[in-house]
Amino acid sequence: MHGYGYPPQQQPTRRPTTTTLTLLRVLFVALTVLSCGFLSWAALLRLAVVTRRTRDWVLLAVAFVANGAMFAYIVSTPDSQEELTDGQAIVFLVWMVCSLGGATAYYLWAEIRHFGRGPGAHDPVPYAGPVPPASTPVPGYGFPPGPPSAPHHTPPPRHTPTGPPVPQPPQPATSQRLDEVRAELDELSDYLRKEGGDR
């Protein structure tokens, strides 16, 4: 149908704003609570449509069947009976607590988990092994790592009046970029000392 070349690309789905997600969560939880659990399937339907997981579709079907069974149970009680018996009340209360608590808790947990990950994020990867020691050179700022050098401790800066620069003892061979950064930091330090002296 499209001929040769690349197939048409699907547009990536945008993540709703945090405000929209919060309002939808409040709406579906309120719907479940205010209906005494009879509309708990609505929150699970939204979750199944959003996540597209088989588990969520199965839970939606279970909630729908459980709500239908409870509705049939209530309709089947005789009309001549004015009050529920203890057994009927316990069955209805257990169903209502499981429907309200289970559907609401699972809906919030699964939706927050689904939208909590950023776009393109994958499931967490388990710990794979020991952490490399700190002496391993790590490339930074696009520059390759320099040759390994012995730990170098710089003495704390002395706050002495500015005067002629003190000659530095010879340093072991380091990368050219490191020398440039040191020179820039020295210039900045001298400039800040001059500016600080005016105050």
Side-chain angles (χ1 to χ4, degrees):
M1 179 176 185
H2 295 287
Y4 296 105
Y6 295 110
Q9 299 292 322
Q10 288 185 344
Q11 294 292 334
T13 56
R14 281 189 328 130
R15 182 183 186 275
T17 63
T18 306
T19 305
T20 303
L21 288 174
T22 303
L23 287 175
L24 285 171
R25 289 173 188 153
V26 168
L27 174 74
F28 281 104
V29 168
L31 187 67
T32 301
V33 170
L34 293 176
S35 69
C36 296
F38 279 107
L39 295 178
S40 62
W41 58 267
L44 295 176
L45 175 65
R46 180 192 187 303
L47 183 65
V49 168
V50 167
T51 61
R52 297 180 181 150
R53 290 190 174 171
T54 306
R55 175 182 59 196
D56 296 333
W57 286 105
V58 169
L59 286 174
L60 169 65
V62 167
F64 202 72
V65 167
N67 286 344
M70 181 48 74
F71 187 73
Y73 177 73
I74 291 172
V75 170
S76 68
T77 57
D79 291 336
S80 62
Q81 185 180 347
E82 290 185 21
E83 293 183 9
L84 294 175
T85 64
D86 288 344
Q88 292 171 333
I90 289 174
V91 167
F92 184 70
L93 182 65
V94 167
W95 169 84
M96 193 166 76
V97 168
C98 290
S99 180
L100 278 171
T104 303
Y106 180 75
Y107 167 70
L108 289 175
W109 174 79
E111 184 170 282
I112 290 170
R113 186 168 184 234
H114 176 73
F115 285 112
R117 294 184 262 165
H122 302 288
D123 289 332
V125 178
Y127 178 66
V131 177
S135 64
T136 304
V138 178
Y141 301 107
F143 292 98
S149 61
H152 176 71
H153 300 286
T154 57
R158 296 184 214 151
H159 296 289
T160 58
T162 56
V166 178
Q168 296 285 333
Q171 298 282 334
T174 58
S175 70
Q176 181 181 2
R177 176 71 183 146
L178 189 58
D179 291 337
E180 290 174 10
V181 170
R182 282 186 186 147
E184 290 174 6
L185 286 174
D186 288 341
E187 288 176 18
L188 180 62
S189 178
D190 291 341
Y191 175 75
L192 290 175
R193 279 194 201 111
K194 290 177 187 174
E195 290 294 318
D198 293 343
R199 292 184 182 173

